[in-house]
Amino acid sequence: MSSVTAIPAASAPEVISHFSRRLSVETDCSDVNAAMNAGEVDFVLLHVVGSQESFARRHLPNAIHLPHKMITADMMNKWPDDTLFVVYCAGPHCNGADRAALKLAQLGLAVKIMIGGLTGWEDEGLAFAENAVGSSRRC
């Protein structure tokens, strides 16, 4: 018996429950990009880490720079209560998106993390914002 089969696989209902919960709190670079390309941006994309200078150098198209430290009830009142926020940070080595998601949820707002962050976006060869200083159309 291998280490793969030593612990039996979960039942189908358990797997459905697990992945449904997981997908309710996260999305990925490909799905965000596909929504943008289809003109189906029904969320607000927040770049939640770094300085204004680092944001200017490289960020996702249509992202708003709102570092997690600046997320407050007053700041979030700019959007309707039913807004879905998609947060991203530098990548798997960064927990800024987690911090932002926690703050937004504590404010009673809907939120998903875009897993992979900037690193995942780049790994998938997706275009960064064209107005970003020093960025190329494709990375």
Side-chain angles (χ1 to χ4, degrees):
M1 177 179 296
S2 74
S3 59
V4 173
T5 59
I7 298 173
S11 69
E14 290 172 315
V15 171
I16 291 167
S17 175
H18 171 80
F19 286 107
S20 293
R21 282 191 317 275
R22 186 170 169 182
L23 291 170
S24 74
V25 297
E26 67 185 33
T27 187
D28 67 13
C29 301
S30 179
D31 288 344
V32 169
N33 185 63
M36 290 177 178
N37 288 339
E40 296 174 344
V41 181
D42 49 2
F43 54 88
V44 172
L45 186 61
L46 298 178
H47 181 112
V48 296
V49 295
S51 66
Q52 187 59 39
E53 293 78 22
S54 66
F55 176 76
R57 279 192 305 277
R58 187 168 79 159
H59 61 273
L60 277 55
N62 303 313
I64 296 168
H65 186 226
L66 183 59
H68 62 83
K69 294 176 182 175
M70 297 176 61
I71 294 174
T72 63
D74 286 342
M75 181 64 71
M76 304 318 293
N77 282 335
K78 296 177 181 181
W79 291 280
D81 291 340
D82 63 347
T83 301
L84 171 63
F85 295 94
V86 173
V87 296
Y88 73 92
C89 59
H93 59 283
C94 177
N95 70 1
D98 297 73
R99 291 175 182 272
L102 178 59
K103 278 186 158 181
L104 291 166
Q106 288 170 334
L107 293 171
L109 301 170
V111 61
K112 288 188 175 195
I113 289 178
M114 185 189 78
I115 58 174
L118 288 171
T119 302
W121 196 265
E122 182 175 16
D123 286 351
E124 292 197 26
L126 302 173
F128 287 95
E130 291 184 21
N131 63 344
V133 178
S135 75
S136 60
R137 287 193 65 128
R138 302 292 281 181
C139 289

